[in-house]
Amino acid sequence: MKLKSIRINGFKSFADKIDLELKSNITAIVGPNGSGKSNIVDAVRWVLGEQSIKSLRGSKEMIDVIFAGSASRNPLKRAEVALEFDNQSHFLNTDIEQVEIKRVLYYTGDNEYYINNAKVRLKDITNLFLDSGIGNESLNIISQGSIEKIVTAKPEDRRIIIESASKVLKYKNRKIESLRKLEKAKDNLEKVDLVIEELENNLEPLEKQSKEAQKYLQIAKEYQELDACLTTYDIKMYNDQLKELQKEQEQITTEKLKLESANTKEGSSLEILKTKNLAIEGELANKNEKYQSIIEQLAKIESEKTILLERQKYSVDQTKVNEEYLQLKEKEEQLKKESALQKYAVENLEKKVNELKKQIETIDEKLIVEENKKNNLEIVFQNKIRNLVTLENQISLLKNNIEEDRRVPTAVKNVLHNPRLKGINETIGNLIKVDKQYEIAIEVALGNALNYVVVDNAESAKEAINYLKENHLGRVTFFPLNVIKSRLLPSSILNSLTKMAGFIGIA
C-alpha cells in the first residue's frame, strides 16, 4: 500500500487548492519556517479522524482549521482534505485497488466523510485503517513534540501505541465492543425480567380487563348492528311517510285545481247574474219613468176633467162637452190600464231583482266558503311541503351519517361516541365543509388526516389516549387546539400561483 497524493483546499494556511503527488522518489518535504510543512501532517491526521483541536494546534473549536483569511484574502466557508492510496496489494481490508478518503468541514461545524466519493461515517474510515498501522494516533504520523510525548507517556498510553503497531488493537477494540454489548444485553435482560415480573403481577387484572374489553367489543359490535338496523328502520319509516305525504300532496293539488276551476265557474255565473241584474235594473228604471209619466198624464187628465166640469156649468153646448168628457174618460181608462200594466211589470221586475240579489248573495256565500276551503287547503299544503322537506333532510342526514360512519376507523368512533371523554370535538374531515365539486380534492389533500380528531387541549388528548390504551382499542391522532399552530403559504408563492392557468384556490 502506498500514499499516492494529498489534496488540500481551505485547510489552515492552504487557502488555494493544492494537489501533492507523492512519487516514489520523494522522501521529504522541506521549506522555510511558516511555509505549512506541519499543516500537511495535521491535514493527514485530520482526514484520518482526528477530533482534538489541540492536537491540530487549534485554539477553541474545530472550525479553527478553516482558512481564517488574511490582509489580501477573505476567509473561507469550508475546509477539505483528501488522501488517495494505492491498494493493489490489498493491504487495506477492501477489494478496491484505488482508495480515496475525504473529510469536509463546513463553517457551521458540520463534518462529512467520504470513501471514493461515497458518504460514510467516521467509524467506517476508522475500521478501514484498523490494524493497518495508519491512523490519527499511529506511529506512522509523528508531529512536532510527539517523540517527547511518547517517551514521557504513561505505560497505558504507550501500550496503545504498541498494540496499534502490533495489530492487536482491532481485537482489543472488538473485545471492548463485545463486552459493552454484553453489558448492554445484561441490562436489557434485567429490564426484561423487571417487565416480566411487573406483567406477571398485572396478569390477573389484565386478564379481567381483557374479558371486560372483549365483552365491551361484543356489546359495541351489537350496538353498531342495532344502530345500523335502527337507522335503516328510520330511513324506511321516513320513506313511507314521504310517500304518504307525496300522495296527500297530489290529492291536495288535485282538489285545489278543482276548487280553482269551480271558483272560476262560480265567478263566471256571478258575473253573468250581475250583468243580468244591471240590465233588469236599467229596464226597471225605464218602466218607473214610464209609470211616472202615466201618473203625470192621469193627473193632467184629472185636471182637464175638472176644468171641463167647471166649464159645463157655464157652457150651453152640452153635447160637445159630453163628447170631450167621454174622450177624456176613455183616455183615463186607457191610462189606468197602462199604469196597471206598468205597475205589474215593475213588480215583476222587482221580484226578478230580488231573486237575482238572493242568487248573488248565495253565490257570494259559496265563494267565501270555497275561498276559506282553498285557504285551509293552502295551509295544509304548505305544512305538507315543510314536512316533506324535513323528511328529505332527515333521510339525507341519515344517509350521510351512515356513509361517513363507514369511513371512520373503529378507534376514532369509540373516542367520538364516548360521553365520558371531555373536550372532544370532531374529526377534521367532518369539520371541513366545502362545495361538492371540491370534496375529492380535499379528501386527497388530507389523506389520513381526514380522521384526525380535534380536541380542546392536550389534557383532553391524554385522557382519550389513556382510554384507548386501557381498552386496547387502537391508535388515534389528536390535534389539541392549544398546541397546534397555523402554517401559512408565503405570499410570494401564493401570488405566483394565482397567476397560473387553472388555479382555483388553496385549502
Side-chain angles (χ1 to χ4, degrees):
M1 186 187 72
K2 177 185 175 184
L3 178 61
K4 293 178 64 178
S5 66
I6 303 173
R7 189 171 67 252
I8 306 173
N9 185 12
F11 183 84
K12 286 198 172 182
S13 60
F14 299 102
D16 296 323
K17 182 179 179 181
I18 66 166
D19 195 348
L20 296 176
E21 292 188 13
L22 303 179
K23 298 180 180 180
S24 57
N25 57 354
I26 294 179
T27 57
I29 298 173
V30 296
N33 291 337
S35 61
K37 301 185 298 297
S38 299
N39 289 342
I40 294 176
V41 178
D42 291 340
V44 173
R45 293 184 63 188
W46 183 70
V47 76
L48 289 172
E50 181 61 63
Q51 300 298 314
S52 173
I53 188 62
K54 291 184 179 179
S55 300
L56 299 172
R57 298 176 296 130
S59 56
K60 295 180 180 179
E61 299 176 320
M62 186 57 74
I63 59 173
D64 291 342
V65 302
I66 300 175
F67 178 71
S70 63
S72 59
R73 299 290 297 270
N74 293 325
L76 299 179
K77 298 296 182 181
R78 54 175 272 172
E80 177 184 330
V81 177
L83 303 181
E84 185 180 359
F85 294 91
D86 183 356
N87 191 37
Q88 291 183 0
S89 61
H90 298 291
F91 185 78
L92 296 176
N93 187 22
T94 178
D95 295 331
I96 302 172
E97 295 184 354
Q98 302 296 325
V99 178
E100 182 191 72
I101 63 168
K102 181 171 65 175
R103 180 177 180 179
V104 181
L105 173 66
Y106 296 95
Y107 194 74
T108 57
D110 296 330
N111 278 281
E112 291 179 353
Y113 299 91
Y114 298 88
I115 296 178
N116 286 1
N117 290 322
K119 199 171 182 179
V120 296
R121 303 168 298 172
L122 173 60
K123 184 179 180 181
D124 298 324
I125 293 178
T126 304
N127 291 337
L128 180 64
F129 289 98
L130 198 64
D131 285 342
S132 66
I134 301 173
N136 58 327
E137 294 290 343
S138 68
L139 290 173
N140 289 328
I141 304 173
I142 300 174
S143 58
Q144 291 180 3
S146 296
I147 297 174
E148 182 183 355
K149 192 184 294 184
I150 294 170
V151 173
T152 59
K154 295 178 182 178
E156 52 267 25
D157 295 334
R158 201 176 298 129
R159 181 180 178 181
I160 292 172
I161 298 172
I162 295 169
E163 286 176 346
S164 177
S166 61
K167 299 185 180 182
V168 298
L169 184 61
K170 175 173 68 176
Y171 302 103
K172 186 176 181 181
N173 287 341
R174 288 180 181 175
K175 177 184 176 183
I176 292 170
E177 188 174 354
S178 299
L179 289 172
R180 187 163 53 245
K181 287 181 179 178
L182 284 171
E183 190 67 29
K184 190 175 180 181
K186 185 179 178 182
D187 292 339
N188 290 335
L189 283 172
E190 290 177 356
K191 290 178 183 177
V192 169
D193 290 338
L194 289 172
V195 171
I196 291 171
E197 184 178 353
E198 185 178 354
L199 288 174
E200 286 176 350
N201 294 331
N202 295 331
L203 189 61
E204 186 176 349
L206 283 172
E207 187 177 358
K208 185 178 179 182
Q209 289 179 9
S210 174
K211 290 179 180 178
E212 290 178 354
Q214 289 175 357
K215 186 177 179 181
Y216 168 79
L217 291 173
Q218 182 65 28
I219 293 171
K221 185 179 179 182
E222 291 176 1
Y223 169 77
Q224 289 176 359
E225 291 175 353
L226 289 172
D227 186 51
C229 292
L230 182 61
T231 305
T232 306
Y233 172 76
D234 288 342
I235 291 174
K236 185 178 181 300
M237 182 182 69
Y238 287 138
N239 278 325
D240 293 340
Q241 292 181 8
L242 182 63
K243 290 177 181 178
E244 291 177 3
L245 283 171
Q246 287 172 344
K247 287 180 181 178
E248 290 181 10
Q249 183 185 359
E250 290 175 359
Q251 292 174 358
I252 291 169
T253 305
T254 306
E255 194 170 347
K256 182 182 175 185
L257 292 172
K258 287 180 180 178
L259 283 173
E260 288 176 351
S261 176
N263 284 343
T264 304
K265 290 180 181 178
E266 293 291 343
S268 301
S269 301
L270 183 63
E271 290 298 325
I272 292 168
L273 289 173
K274 284 182 178 179
T275 304
K276 286 183 179 180
N277 186 33
L278 289 172
I280 292 170
E281 285 179 350
E283 189 178 350
L284 181 63
N286 292 330
K287 295 290 184 183
N288 280 327
E289 286 178 2
K290 287 182 179 181
Y291 179 73
Q292 290 298 326
S293 176
I294 291 167
I295 294 295
E296 288 174 358
Q297 288 179 13
L298 283 172
K300 187 177 179 182
I301 289 168
E302 286 291 335
S303 175
E304 289 178 356
K305 181 181 175 184
T306 304
I307 292 168
L308 285 172
L309 287 173
E310 287 295 326
R311 283 178 181 179
Q312 190 178 7
K313 293 177 182 180
Y314 303 103
S315 177
V316 180
D317 194 355
Q318 185 68 31
T319 305
K320 191 176 181 180
V321 171
N322 288 334
E323 288 176 359
E324 289 181 0
Y325 177 77
L326 288 171
Q327 289 177 359
L328 289 171
K329 194 74 173 173
E330 289 175 1
K331 195 174 183 179
E332 181 183 8
E333 290 296 328
Q334 188 179 354
L335 287 171
K336 282 182 178 179
K337 288 179 181 179
E338 288 182 6
S339 175
L341 290 171
Q342 292 295 332
K343 188 175 182 181
Y344 179 74
V346 168
E347 288 176 354
N348 286 335
L349 287 172
E350 285 179 348
K351 286 180 181 179
K352 286 183 179 180
V353 168
N354 291 331
E355 288 176 0
L356 287 173
K357 285 183 178 178
K358 287 180 181 179
Q359 288 180 7
I360 289 169
E361 288 175 358
T362 303
I363 291 174
D364 282 337
E365 289 175 358
K366 285 183 178 180
L367 281 174
I368 291 169
V369 171
E370 295 297 333
E371 194 67 34
N372 290 334
K373 283 184 180 179
K374 180 184 175 183
N375 292 334
N376 292 333
L377 284 172
E378 194 70 38
I379 293 169
V380 173
F381 183 73
Q382 293 298 329
N383 290 334
K384 296 294 182 182
I385 288 292
R386 280 195 290 271
N387 293 337
L388 188 65
V389 172
T390 303
L391 283 172
E392 287 176 347
N393 290 337
Q394 287 176 343
I395 290 169
S396 176
L397 183 62
L398 286 169
K399 286 180 178 178
N400 289 338
N401 288 339
I402 291 171
E403 184 63 28
E404 290 176 0
D405 201 47
R406 287 176 185 164
R407 294 185 293 177
V408 177
T410 305
V412 175
K413 285 191 279 189
N414 284 320
V415 171
L416 293 176
H417 297 159
N418 190 342
R420 295 183 180 178
L421 298 176
K422 305 299 180 185
I424 306 297
N425 294 311
E426 252 296 351
T427 59
I428 294 177
N430 287 337
L431 289 173
I432 295 177
K433 302 297 180 186
V434 295
D435 293 341
K436 190 77 175 176
Q437 57 184 332
Y438 304 131
E439 283 183 356
I440 295 176
I442 293 298
E443 287 180 4
V444 172
L446 287 174
N448 292 333
L450 196 71
N451 293 316
Y452 290 177
V453 178
V454 178
V455 295
D456 289 343
N457 48 52
E459 293 300 322
S460 300
K462 289 179 183 176
E463 185 181 354
I465 291 169
N466 291 333
Y467 162 72
L468 292 170
K469 284 183 177 178
E470 290 170 1
N471 296 282
H472 305 287
L473 297 175
R475 299 178 63 184
V476 176
T477 302
F478 296 94
F479 270 21
L481 292 174
N482 66 332
V483 174
I484 59 174
K485 295 180 180 179
S486 61
R487 290 187 302 176
L488 300 176
L489 200 64
S491 57
S492 58
I493 296 175
L494 184 58
N495 291 334
S496 300
L497 287 173
T498 53
K499 296 175 184 177
M500 293 183 179
F503 175 80
I504 295 174
I506 58 171

